[in-house]
Amino acid sequence: MNLDHARFAAYLSARLCHDIVSPAATMSLSLEMLDSPGSAEEKEHSERTLREGAHGVTATLQFLRYAFGSMGLQAGTADIHQFKKLTEDYLRFQKPSIDWDLGTAELSFGEARLIMNLIMTALTATVRGGVIQVTVREEAGVKTISLTCRGDRLKLKEDVVKGLKGDEPEHGWRPENIQPLFAKLTCDGLGGTLSARQTADGSVVFMASGIKSQG
């Protein structure tokens, strides 16, 4: 990695804070509206927005704690139901929906963490919405994880492609392009290899292959 650890940590922290700022700002604005003069209808709308913002902050923090924090570093087998719920709750506040095809009986915490990071990477291609299909296949103790993004005007960004390879983007590392590098390091830790491509029909595919069973 051609990036010193202190700068990497700073960029990653800034990236994570960015995910929390939007719902937190919504909550702050709603509180201001509740404290200001206004009609009952306006107060009701502000209260609804405040509740939605609180749910968004909670869902985002729980997802990020798993995807980046110590929760995703535990040994052993992940609770797939919990992992899927955290992911679905997080995506409720994003543009795309998700479709699961987990053709495996078990996922390690590390594998679940990798999928979460690939979902965050997939969000860079689905800024206008769409569907992210998560597929996991296992053969002879080796897993392949693929995320296929379908929708209108999908775009695989060059910074993302470079980050997934561990190569510095053309205009340097920034908080906006650091997350794919973290996904690559997570995949490296599982012995896998990451790739990304845009297909002829416009779909974008992110794939992690060669992941040996972690148990």
Side-chain angles (χ1 to χ4, degrees), residues 94-174:
Q94 309 295 327
K95 292 287 179 88
S97 58
I98 191 164
D99 182 32
W100 300 101
D101 184 9
L102 304 182
T104 181
E106 294 183 346
L107 287 173
S108 70
F109 282 100
E111 290 161 355
R113 187 186 204 212
L114 174 58
I115 293 172
M116 286 174 154
N117 271 274
L118 289 178
I119 286 170
M120 291 187 71
T121 305
L123 291 177
T124 66
T126 55
V127 293
R128 293 182 175 87
V131 179
I132 301 172
Q133 180 175 20
V134 181
T135 304
V136 180
R137 293 291 181 266
E138 182 172 7
E139 185 174 350
V142 177
K143 288 189 178 74
T144 299
I145 298 168
S146 62
L147 276 70
T148 303
C149 306
R150 298 185 176 90
D152 295 330
R153 293 183 291 176
L154 301 182
K155 183 178 180 181
L156 178 58
K157 298 179 179 179
E158 186 59 30
D159 277 10
V160 171
V161 175
K162 285 182 173 289
L164 292 175
K165 293 178 180 178
D167 297 333
E168 184 173 358
E170 181 179 354
H171 300 293
W173 296 110
R174 306 185 308 277

Side-chain angles (χ1 to χ4, degrees), residues 28-47:
S28 179
L29 180 60
S30 298
L31 283 171
E32 289 180 13
M33 295 295 292
L34 283 172
D35 291 337
S36 302
S39 66
E41 200 172 88
E42 290 172 332
K43 298 289 187 182
E44 184 179 349
H45 173 73
S46 296
E47 186 174 343

